[in-house]
């Protein structure tokens, strides 16, 4: 599968089979995160793989009871191990760096026939407590990982003419 096909085909998946995810596929997905670019190549991230059923249930409760999170056999939690650095442009680097790594992992998962769904609606303090995440580390995103019961239809997107322009903002 080429990159364009993965970008076009990926969907947010919210219903999963109970089928386990092969360890070599999990490692390929983590590898995609590991190879992602980051500001000054600092790579200040940690990806937590959660397979334990009870822990997944707790995470789902901490994520506004989004129960599909626990239905998947694996939950990924993407953390930033440093959150103080601010780029010259004024944006904090950690959320950007970790988000790029997550995007890579979600696309890699799709290539391996695995479904994911970026989860941003969660109580960070609860998630940190469940996963024993140190105080100064931030949890940026969660995602279920598993084989979808089916692939959802594509969600609509704005047209290119609405989201892109040339030479100056208009
Ligand atoms: C930053 C971010 C946070 C999101 N949080 C959630 C969430 O908490 N729960 C959920 O079901 N989907 C969540 N989504 C998934 C979006 O709803 C989804 O990407 C969007 O509707 C487009 O659908 P698609 O991913 O299938 O193309 C989130 C996506 C992003 C990028």
């Amino acid at each position: 599968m080429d990159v364009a096909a993965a970008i076009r085909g990926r969907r947010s998946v919210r219903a999963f089979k109970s089928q386990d995810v092969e360890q070599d596929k999990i490692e390929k997905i983590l590898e995609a995160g590991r190879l992602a670019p980051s500001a000054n190549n600092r790579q200040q991230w940690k990806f937590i793989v959660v397979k334990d059923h009870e822990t997944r249930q707790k995470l789902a409760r901490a994520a506004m009871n989004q129960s599909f999170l626990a239905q998947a056999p694996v939950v990924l939690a993407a953390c930033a191990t440093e959150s103080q650095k601010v780029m010259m442009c004024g944006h904090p680097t950690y959320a950007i760096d970790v988000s790029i790594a997550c995007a890579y992992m979600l696309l890699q998962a799709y290539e391996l026939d695995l479904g994911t769904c970026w989860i941003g609606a969660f109580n960070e303090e609860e998630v940190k407590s469940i996963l024993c995440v140190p105080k100064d580390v931030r949890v940026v995103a969660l995602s279920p990982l598993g084989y979808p019961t089916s692939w959802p239809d594509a969600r609509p997107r704005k047209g290119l003419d609405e989201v892109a322009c040339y030479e100056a903002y208009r």
Side-chain angles (χ1 to χ4, degrees), residues 37-54:
S38 59
N40 290 108
N41 199 25
R42 280 196 290 262
Q43 307 161 64
Q44 285 171 321
W45 44 45
K46 179 85 91 175
F47 313 120
I48 307 174
V49 179
V50 180
K51 298 182 184 179
D52 179 72
H53 182 259
E54 182 61 29

Side-chain angles (χ1 to χ4, degrees), residues 23 26 30 47-52 74-77 131 145:
Q23 182 60 24
I26 292 174
L30 294 171
F47 313 120
I48 307 174
V49 179
V50 180
K51 298 182 184 179
D52 179 72
V74 177
V75 174
L76 298 175
L131 299 178
L145 177 69

Side-chain angles (χ1 to χ4, degrees), residues 7-14 63-64 66 68 99 106 116-122 140-142 144 152-157:
I7 290 170
R8 283 189 174 275
R10 183 213 55 83
R11 305 278 182 267
S12 289
V13 173
R14 299 182 179 87
M64 320 270 292
Q66 297 186 81
F68 62 87
S99 294
L106 268 50
T116 56
C117 181
W118 190 299
I119 300 291
F122 60 87
V140 175
L142 302 174
D153 291 336
R155 300 289 317 281
R157 291 294 194 267

